[in-house]
Amino acid sequence: MCIRDRYKDRGVTLDRLSFLWEGRGYRKQFKLSLKTQIYTDHAYPLTLKVLRNTGAISFDEAKRRLNEYVDCRVGEEFGNSWDTHWFHMDFQIPKEWNAAAEEIHLRWNSSSEAMVYGPDGKPLQGLTGGSRDDYVIYGHGKKDAKPGDKIAFFVEMACCGLFGNFRTGDMLSGLDMNKKFKLKECRLARFDRETWELLYDYKILMDSAKHLESSQSARADEALVLANQVVNICKPGKKETYAECRELIKKFFQTKNSEAQHTVYAVGHCHIDMAWLWPFSETRRKGGRSWSSQTEIMKQYKTFSFCASTAGLYEWVQKDYPLLFEEIKKYNKEGRFQHVGGAWLEFDGYVPSGESMARQMLYGQRFFKQHFGSYCNVFFLPDTFGYSAQLPQIIRLGGMKYFLTQKISWNRYNKFPHSSFYWKGIDGTSVLTHFPPADTYCGNGELHEVLKSQTNFKDKGRSNSSLYLFGVGDGGGGPTFEMVDKLSRMEDIAGIPKVKLGSSVSQFFKDMEASSKNLLSWDGELYLELHNGTYTTQANNKKYNRMCELLMRDAEMFAALRSIYVDKSSKNYPKDMFDDVWKKMMLFHFHDVLPGTCIRLVYEVTDKEYPVMVDKLRTSIKQSTKALAEHLLEKHVVRDGSRNTLVVFNSLSYDRKATIEWVSGGIKHYTKVQIKAFGCAAYPERFLLENEIKQNCSTVQDNGKYLEVETQLLKIQIAYNGKIHSIKDKTTGKEEEAMREVIAPGEDFSEGNTLCIHNDVPLYWDAWDLWIYYQESKTVLDAISHSVDVPENGDRICIEFKYSINATSSITQTMIIYMDKKKIDFRTVVDWHEEHKVLRVYFPLNLRSDFVTCDIQSGNLRRPTTANTSWEMAKYEVCSHKFVDYSEGSYGVALLNDCKYGYSARGNLLGMSLLKSSKAPSEVADMGRHEFTYSLYMHDKNFESSDVAEEALELNIKIRKQWFSTNLTEAKHFQFVEAMKPNVVLDAFKLDEEERKHVVMRVHENMGAECCNRIGFGFDVKKTAEVNILEEPAAHEWELVGEEAENSKSILKTTKNEIFHKMHPFQILTFKVSPSNLSN
């Protein structure tokens, strides 16, 4: 009789198998399940005491206050959310356990996260109610105590679950700040290893019967027959039945795979979000709890290996748990606790600047090298919401050659075609990339996940191995004993991919690189077709990030210039302050913090910290520029307190024209000036008065329907409701009919600067998503009043519009139209108190192109305006930094901004997301006052020949000015570094990390055009080198002077104060320059 006759209903038989595994709800006394027989005898604490509501205190303090502890009992509740309670307990292990006991465990379940400490303060292991409830005291290779001994523990109970504290477990239900946690269990228990081993043998057999059916039906049937026989024979708790059961299971395990079978490298991992549904302070403790649990597994399972990224978390563990950190270092030397990732933390892949990403690599790799002796070679970013097309180059310059992620498996519309491939960035740099085909970084060690690693692998025939990351993640926790035991049994069983435990992420890539053939490439960004609301949510956070990134650029530059020109040393270079601010900035780059997807407690911290960081950077800039100005004007400075000379600094890499607004005698003046690239100018007040703008050449007329504004370059019609009806470019024709019209009616919008509110109710992931159907509902906003200001001696016209959204929300917008610029600024103040709405602005343009050019990290990227394919359609909202340019032929329009990131471009309609109002996980996201500026800039060239990038920089980087008392009678100009090619942009100018007697200068090519560039310094240079982001030789000798520079990949020639170098499109170059007069 065939098996299908014997088991007419396969489903019933499979369901029956689960009795032996978990009892299917029957109580323990029925003895149907092996799982219920793991723990037999129990011993309860002699004393159990608690120190309540301590907040986050150290172990030493908790132990010092032992006389304050009071009695408590199992069954009591403890709270409130995020608070801390310290427990102390004494046990005596029963002597009668001596003969029979194989293992003794501490069992603790407080319905929350907790950490077990020994009496000496050593963190022993993390515990989490429901997923990790036991700590091994005796047995399985451990002998912390034995039967008859007295033993004591401290337990730090954190009032939080792995995934935060919500009212109903649903993020939309809101935070429950008064949540209570019940102490359900505190006891010693005798652990039955023999039952455990049979249980997990049976688990693999049972799962084989369930999951091999689709691909290995014969093996599935074999497993089903054997598993059913085991159920018939096994009597849980009666060990005399176990041997026959294990022999039956052994028959299934003995059949091995062929050499051609797919290999799965299984590496433990514990994804810990630096903040998400819990505050930063809780993450510090999650690190200790999670990683101590992994070192505990390593003591008992010699084949277990574990990887962890995030240098910033290692630093927290080093500070908070020094004994644990030393243990981690020990296992790291053995290759079992592996550092991966290279970055300070797992940052957002779209919003941080290129320089911010570079610093993530610099700080992260330096930490790993210092404490573990080596750099990472795998960039590890499994859970962020899209990946910039500039990342491959940044990864390679950060000392890594491999990349791992899996988030693109979350795509909504298109399935990504590769698992192992080469990812190529906008400059042509490639990194070998792997997407684990199990589509998770939090595997549970289950057979169906291992099988998916094979069945979902998309590059069969080119490669035959994949990586599988297992362990409880996001909220920490990591691998458990159960996971290791399941995977260890799958090492080589016919029909199941070969599971390789004990290897490393790095070894997987090396083996895959060596054995694979003809891997394919993916060129450009890795766009996630989900979570595109993260470009907009928590707007204040993104604004401060942009502000800090650009302030840091200037603060480092002016501090370095001060060291060179004024101090001749680094004595006043505020390296400690820079490190502190950078580490906070990098922390806030985390892939839930910067995207805006954390609970409000997280943003209460960032809202407090960001202004302090801004103040520190502004103070540093002011101090450095003051010292530089006084040094440069030393012969002219007087101490009469007259403040009669304005010194203006330009940190950009090109000569900058600007209109300075200044006040004298209570009267506002406007003077046009020009400041050299990387330079400054001193203007006596007399010069400013003599050269001030005498007459505003712009006019505004009210024709009864529109406000008609005319400048030297534009003719504009503005409706009373704040929308722009027409913009005509006067430079394109003498007669009005010949002038180019910028605004063109579209299908949805007919005027420019149309402010619109859409309903924003995602299918799921409230703060994360902006679903495509938001476009189907809209409320167009109309201004209810306007006022016009035309300064007589200014260079602009200002028109203020007021909008009333409803009784609680409003907008005040000032439209600034310049006399001699083809640019309109929209300075906007919003009082925002909406729910599930998104505020956007639209410009229908009289242009046609099938792409727009988007500003990204250290370069730009073309994205489609068409929706011909599902891949194009999915990009209905994209991330861009300071601008998006829409050009055709020799004319274009750019939409600039000072703090926004979410754009849309479909047909001729250019749109930008301004504010979002999600209600989960933060119920107050974006509520309150917002200030931002966006600009419309017209240019009569194609993008590559235009000055769009310069205009965007000038909107974001302000000139620095200070008043001094001098006897100057005419303007004086100074230059520290000479202007570079227009397409070469400075990202950083700082002192080096090690000695602080070299200047590190980083530039990038911004237009996708190869060029040769000259950098001229205002100081003599002893030596020059090309280095990588880590400030180490760029794969060749670093001391390059004169003709020796021929050894460089990029440097063509150097002199005592010049570098001549070449750049390929979108290349990032870093130079290490040694000024002759700078010492440390």
Side-chain angles (χ1 to χ4, degrees):
M1 182 183 295
C2 75
I3 186 170
R4 297 198 183 279
D5 289 330
R6 294 178 59 196
Y7 301 100
K8 289 183 180 294
D9 192 323
R10 182 179 179 83
V12 169
T13 307
L14 287 172
D15 286 346
R16 184 199 183 207
L17 301 185
S18 63
F19 276 117
L20 191 58
W21 167 244
E22 58 187 356
R24 292 184 64 84
Y26 285 88
R27 293 192 299 276
K28 179 177 180 179
Q29 57 264 38
F30 291 112
K31 294 188 176 180
L32 296 174
S33 165
L34 287 167
K35 189 177 283 188
T36 61
Q37 305 304 308
I38 296 297
Y39 290 103
T40 53
D41 299 330
H42 305 280
Y44 295 93
L46 303 174
T47 63
L48 177 60
K49 295 177 178 289
V50 64
L51 181 64
R52 297 176 183 270
N53 303 104
T54 63
I57 62 174
S58 67
F59 171 84
D60 290 339
E61 182 177 350
K63 185 174 182 179
R64 180 179 58 79
R65 296 172 61 184
L66 197 54
N67 62 331
E68 299 177 35
Y69 286 56
V70 297
D71 290 335
C72 64
R73 59 180 175 78
V74 172
E76 285 190 52
E77 289 188 337
F78 299 87
N80 287 337
S81 296
W82 317 115
D83 211 336
T84 304
H85 306 269
W86 280 85
F87 294 82
H88 181 266
M89 61 211 71
D90 292 292
F91 294 94
Q92 182 166 19
I93 302 173
K95 293 180 181 179
E96 58 269 25
W97 288 5
N98 189 45
E102 290 183 0
E103 294 183 34
I104 300 166
H105 291 190
L106 169 67
R107 300 277 298 163
W108 172 276
N109 185 348
S110 55
S111 312
S112 71
E113 296 196 73
M115 171 77 97
V116 184
Y117 287 85
D120 60 353
K122 183 180 179 181
L124 301 176
Q125 183 185 292
L127 297 171
T128 303
S131 63
R132 196 191 309 270
D133 300 332
D134 53 338
Y135 168 70
V136 177
I137 299 170
Y138 176 82
H140 207 225
K142 290 192 63 185
K143 295 183 179 179
D144 290 355
K146 60 184 184 299
D149 287 353
K150 287 187 175 180
I151 191 167
F153 296 102
F154 286 86
V155 171
E156 179 193 33
M157 173 186 171
C159 291
C160 64
L162 266 180
F163 297 98
N165 296 328
F166 294 96
R167 293 189 181 97
T168 66
D170 183 340
M171 283 187 283
L172 285 168
S173 68
L175 283 178
D176 182 355
M177 297 303 292
N178 299 305
K179 192 168 185 177
K180 302 294 190 293
F181 297 83
K182 180 181 285 189
L183 178 56
K184 295 180 178 178
E185 186 176 18
C186 175
R187 56 184 172 175
L188 300 185
R190 192 162 60 174
F191 176 86
D192 192 324
R193 175 61 60 178
E194 189 176 354
T195 301
W196 174 276
E197 296 294 339
L198 175 58
L199 174 68
Y200 282 96
D201 283 350
Y202 177 74
K203 166 70 170 167
I204 302 305
L205 182 66
M206 177 184 69
D207 285 353
S208 296
K210 288 181 179 180
H211 300 300
L212 288 179
E213 173 70 8
S214 61
S215 60
Q216 301 279 338
S217 59
R219 287 290 279 166
D221 289 346
E222 181 185 356
L224 184 66
V225 171
L226 291 171
N228 193 64
Q229 289 177 312
V230 171
V231 173
N232 290 332
I233 295 168
C234 185
K235 302 295 182 284
K238 295 185 178 181
K239 295 186 179 179
E240 61 271 20
T241 66
Y242 289 7
E244 186 177 356
C245 295
R246 296 197 74 176
E247 281 301 312
L248 284 170
I249 297 171
K250 187 177 179 182
K251 290 180 181 179
F252 186 79
F253 286 2
Q254 280 177 337
T255 306
K256 303 302 182 183
N257 279 301
S258 71
E259 288 299 315
Q261 180 61 285
H262 188 87
T263 300
V264 174
Y265 289 66
V267 179
H269 178 54
C270 175
H271 187 74
I272 304 176
D273 288 332
M274 296 298 278
W276 180 30
L277 306 180
W278 51 87
F280 293 109
S281 56
E282 198 56 53
T283 306
R284 299 183 76 115
R285 301 198 291 185
K286 283 178 179 284
R289 291 191 290 257
S290 300
W291 289 357
S292 63
S293 298
Q294 304 319 304
T295 59
E296 185 64 21
I297 296 176
M298 288 175 190
K299 292 170 187 172
Q300 300 173 57
Y301 292 82
K302 303 306 180 185
T303 60
F304 172 65
S305 63
F306 175 80
C307 69
S309 65
T310 308
L313 186 55
Y314 281 91
E315 185 178 72
W316 280 355
V317 169
Q318 181 189 27
K319 292 177 179 177
D320 298 346
Y321 304 95
L323 295 176
L324 172 60
F325 189 73
E326 290 305 311
E327 195 165 52
I328 288 170
K329 288 173 68 175
K330 169 194 157 189
Y331 286 116
N332 180 270
K333 285 183 179 178
E334 296 176 8
R336 299 177 64 199
F337 199 115
Q338 304 152 13
H339 57 291
V340 295
W344 188 248
L345 48 74
E346 293 182 15
F347 52 84
D348 177 73
Y350 267 151
V351 175
S353 68
E355 187 58 29
S356 287
M357 290 183 173
R359 298 306 174 95
Q360 288 278 354
M361 306 302 187
L362 174 66
Y363 280 84
Q365 290 283 51
R366 283 177 59 81
F367 182 92
F368 289 131
K369 182 71 175 289
Q370 178 183 353
H371 296 286
F372 300 118
S374 64
Y375 292 137
C376 301
N377 66 354
V378 180
F379 181 56
F380 195 90
L381 193 58
D383 184 30
T384 196
F385 313 140
Y387 302 85
S388 167
Q390 188 60 284
L391 261 174
Q393 182 177 193
I394 294 172
I395 292 168
R396 294 300 294 262
L397 291 174
M400 293 171 280
K401 59 185 295 190
Y402 306 125
F403 172 47
L404 181 140
T405 187
Q406 64 81 47
K407 198 67 176 184
I408 303 301
S409 67
W410 286 43
N411 270 8
R412 178 67 181 182
Y413 304 102
N414 298 282
K415 198 169 185 67
F416 194 79
H418 304 299
S419 298
S420 295
F421 62 101
Y422 286 96
W423 180 28
K424 189 176 293 185
I426 54 174
D427 76 313
T429 298
S430 291
V431 288
L432 181 57
T433 300
H434 183 66
F435 293 178
D439 289 347
T440 183
Y441 51 85
C442 303
N444 290 312
E446 294 289 344
L447 174 62
H448 68 87
E449 294 173 339
V450 172
L451 288 171
K452 186 176 181 181
S453 294
Q454 179 186 35
T455 59
N456 192 43
F457 186 69
K458 302 181 185 69
D459 295 280
K460 297 180 180 74
R462 302 177 187 276
S463 181
N464 198 30
S465 61
S466 60
L467 188 68
Y468 173 69
L469 298 171
F470 66 95
V472 180
D474 291 329
T480 62
F481 298 119
E482 293 90 335
M483 295 175 192
V484 180
D485 271 313
K486 284 183 284 187
L487 290 165
S488 64
R489 284 161 167 76
M490 292 184 246
E491 182 178 358
D492 192 4
I493 300 174
I496 299 172
K498 294 179 181 179
V499 173
K500 190 170 184 177
L501 272 171
S503 190
S504 68
V505 176
S506 177
Q507 191 60 50
F508 160 75
F509 272 100
K510 290 176 182 176
D511 292 350
M512 188 254 286
E513 186 176 34
S515 62
S516 61
K517 54 188 177 183
N518 302 319
L519 290 179
L520 302 176
S521 294
W522 181 270
D523 204 318
E525 70 181 324
L526 293 171
Y527 179 83
L528 177 63
E529 296 171 359
L530 199 69
H531 295 357
N532 44 20
T534 59
Y535 316 148
T536 304
T537 305
Q538 293 288 1
N540 194 53
N541 213 46
K542 292 175 172 64
K543 177 180 178 178
Y544 267 115
N545 175 68
R546 174 87 63 89
M547 192 183 303
C548 283
E549 286 176 336
L550 298 175
L551 283 171
M552 178 63 83
R553 174 191 181 278
D554 282 11
E556 288 182 331
M557 173 188 289
F558 290 124
L561 290 171
R562 174 184 178 171
S563 297
I564 297 167
Y565 281 90
V566 182
D567 301 325
K568 309 296 191 291
S569 74
S570 60
K571 65 180 181 180
N572 288 313
Y573 188 79
K575 183 65 169 64
D576 291 341
M577 184 274 286
F578 288 154
D579 285 344
D580 178 64
V581 174
W582 264 119
K583 286 181 179 181
K584 285 190 173 72
M585 285 171 61
M586 292 187 296
L587 175 62
F588 300 161
H589 290 155
F590 182 72
H591 64 250
D592 278 305
V593 179
L594 189 53
T597 55
C598 293
I599 58 173
R600 61 175 168 81
L601 298 179
V602 175
Y603 299 108
E604 288 173 2
V605 173
T606 61
D607 287 347
K608 180 181 178 181
E609 290 288 344
Y610 267 132
V612 175
M613 295 155 61
V614 165
D615 183 64
K616 287 180 178 180
L617 295 173
R618 283 177 171 163
T619 298
S620 175
I621 291 169
K622 187 173 183 179
Q623 290 172 345
S624 296
T625 53
K626 182 176 184 292
L628 280 164
E630 289 179 341
H631 173 75
L632 296 171
L633 298 171
E634 184 177 8
K635 296 178 181 178
H636 301 282
V637 173
V638 296
R639 307 295 178 186
D640 61 4
S642 59
R643 293 174 56 82
N644 60 3
T645 302
L646 185 63
V647 179
V648 184
F649 286 82
N650 171 27
S651 67
L652 299 179
S653 56
Y654 56 88
D655 294 352
R656 183 171 182 177
K657 296 178 181 179
T659 299
I660 296 175
E661 182 181 317
W662 56 285
V663 178
S664 177
I667 300 173
K668 190 179 291 186
H669 302 270
Y670 299 87
T671 302
K672 286 193 172 295
V673 298
Q674 181 166 320
I675 314 109
K676 289 183 178 294
F678 305 122
C680 69
Y683 298 105
E685 186 172 342
R686 188 177 73 177
F687 174 92
L688 295 173
L689 284 169
E690 290 174 352
N691 291 276
E692 74 170 322
I693 298 171
K694 304 300 182 185
Q695 182 179 358
N696 193 332
C697 298
S698 301
T699 62
V700 58
Q701 301 290 329
D702 188 338
N703 69 4
K705 187 176 181 181
Y706 301 109
L707 299 174
E708 295 189 330
V709 178
E710 184 166 1
T711 71
Q712 295 174 2
L713 305 174
L714 301 172
K715 294 186 74 171
I716 308 169
Q717 287 184 331
I718 305 168
Y720 301 151
N721 60 10
K723 300 173 182 61
I724 297 177
H725 180 70
S726 170
I727 302 174
K728 292 193 173 181
D729 188 337
K730 294 168 65 175
T731 66
T732 60
K734 291 183 179 181
E735 302 299 326
E736 184 167 342
E737 293 76 11
M739 296 177 188
R740 179 161 197 136
E741 174 60 60
V742 173
I743 301 296
E747 293 181 13
D748 298 305
F749 300 95
S750 60
E751 295 177 301
N753 196 44
T754 298
L755 291 167
C756 190
I757 289 180
H758 302 271
N759 290 335
D760 174 33
V761 184
L763 294 177
Y764 29 78
W765 301 111
D766 193 11
W768 288 258
D769 292 349
L770 183 67
W771 284 81
I772 193 167
Y773 54 75
Y774 84 86
Q775 303 163 353
E776 298 177 23
S777 64
K778 65 181 180 183
T779 301
V780 174
L781 301 179
D782 291 328
I784 57 175
S785 65
H786 69 271
S787 59
V788 180
D789 178 26
V790 185
E792 183 179 345
N793 62 339
D795 69 337
R796 65 202 67 182
I797 289 175
C798 301
I799 308 173
E800 183 181 270
F801 294 92
K802 290 187 178 294
Y803 298 77
S804 178
I805 299 172
N806 51 41
T808 58
S809 299
S810 62
I811 300 173
T812 300
Q813 185 174 79
T814 303
M815 202 178 292
I816 304 170
I817 304 165
Y818 295 92
M819 178 174 66
D820 55 356
K821 279 189 174 184
K822 296 187 198 179
K823 187 177 82 147
I824 305 170
D825 289 344
F826 301 88
R827 193 173 297 161
T828 310
V829 179
V830 184
D831 194 9
W832 185 248
H833 299 278
E834 301 305 291
E835 292 188 4
H836 289 120
K837 306 290 184 185
V838 59
L839 175 65
R840 307 193 84 244
V841 65
Y842 294 95
F843 292 89
L845 302 175
N846 185 29
L847 296 165
R848 179 166 175 78
S849 174
D850 59 4
F851 69 89
V852 290
T853 303
C854 300
D855 179 41
I856 67 166
Q857 293 81 0
S858 306
N860 58 73
L861 181 69
R862 289 181 174 182
R863 291 190 174 110
T865 62
T866 53
N868 294 330
T869 68
S870 57
W871 292 91
E872 291 182 346
M873 178 276 294
K875 294 183 179 181
Y876 57 87
E877 181 85 352
V878 296
C879 185
S880 186
H881 283 207
K882 296 181 288 296
F883 66 83
V884 166
D885 181 80
Y886 195 126
S887 292
E888 64 171 32
S890 59
Y891 198 89
V893 177
L895 184 55
L896 322 176
N897 76 84
D898 68 351
C899 61
K900 300 301 172 186
Y901 294 89
Y903 283 86
S904 62
R906 278 292 179 263
N908 72 330
L909 185 65
L910 194 57
M912 181 166 62
S913 295
L914 304 175
L915 292 171
K916 197 174 184 294
S917 50
S918 58
K919 293 301 165 188
S922 172
E923 68 278 20
V924 294
D926 286 311
M927 296 298 97
R929 180 183 171 89
H930 299 267
E931 296 184 23
F932 51 85
T933 299
Y934 57 89
S935 305
L936 197 69
Y937 178 63
M938 284 64 70
H939 56 92
D940 53 2
K941 298 177 181 178
N942 61 23
F943 169 74
E944 287 76 13
S945 303
S946 75
D947 58 353
V948 168
E950 287 90 335
E951 286 290 341
L953 280 171
E954 291 185 22
L955 179 63
N956 282 268
I957 299 178
K958 308 303 180 185
I959 57 175
R960 313 292 173 186
K961 55 187 182 182
Q962 289 191 57
W963 286 94
F964 291 87
S965 301
T966 77
N967 57 14
L968 280 178
T969 58
E970 59 183 25
K972 288 186 71 69
H973 296 270
F974 306 91
Q975 193 164 27
F976 309 111
V977 181
E978 294 179 25
M980 300 186 293
K981 285 282 183 73
N983 58 325
V984 179
V985 178
L986 179 78
D987 294 318
F989 188 98
K990 58 184 278 291
L991 297 191
D992 70 292
E993 296 294 310
E994 285 291 337
E995 301 175 289
R996 293 195 280 288
K997 62 180 183 180
H998 311 285
V999 168
V1000 172
M1001 184 178 186
R1002 189 155 27 253
V1003 296
H1004 75 265
E1005 196 287 318
N1006 199 47
M1007 288 294 170
E1010 184 169 315
C1011 70
C1012 292
N1013 184 54
R1014 172 186 173 275
I1015 302 174
F1017 300 104
F1019 49 86
D1020 287 346
V1021 172
K1022 289 185 290 187
K1023 57 186 177 182
T1024 301
E1026 180 191 345
V1027 294
N1028 59 19
I1029 285 171
L1030 309 182
E1031 301 178 11
E1032 293 187 342
H1036 46 265
E1037 294 298 321
W1038 93 265
E1039 292 193 11
L1040 304 172
V1041 180
E1043 295 304 317
E1044 294 178 14
E1046 293 178 3
N1047 296 322
S1048 170
K1049 290 181 179 178
S1050 301
I1051 296 177
L1052 301 173
K1053 186 179 73 170
T1054 64
T1055 69
K1056 68 176 183 178
N1057 57 10
E1058 293 174 304
I1059 305 174
F1060 295 89
H1061 68 93
K1062 59 185 177 182
M1063 296 191 82
H1064 63 248
F1066 300 123
Q1067 184 177 11
I1068 299 170
L1069 274 179
T1070 307
F1071 299 110
K1072 192 173 184 180
V1073 177
S1074 300
S1076 299
N1077 63 343
L1078 181 61
S1079 64
N1080 59 352

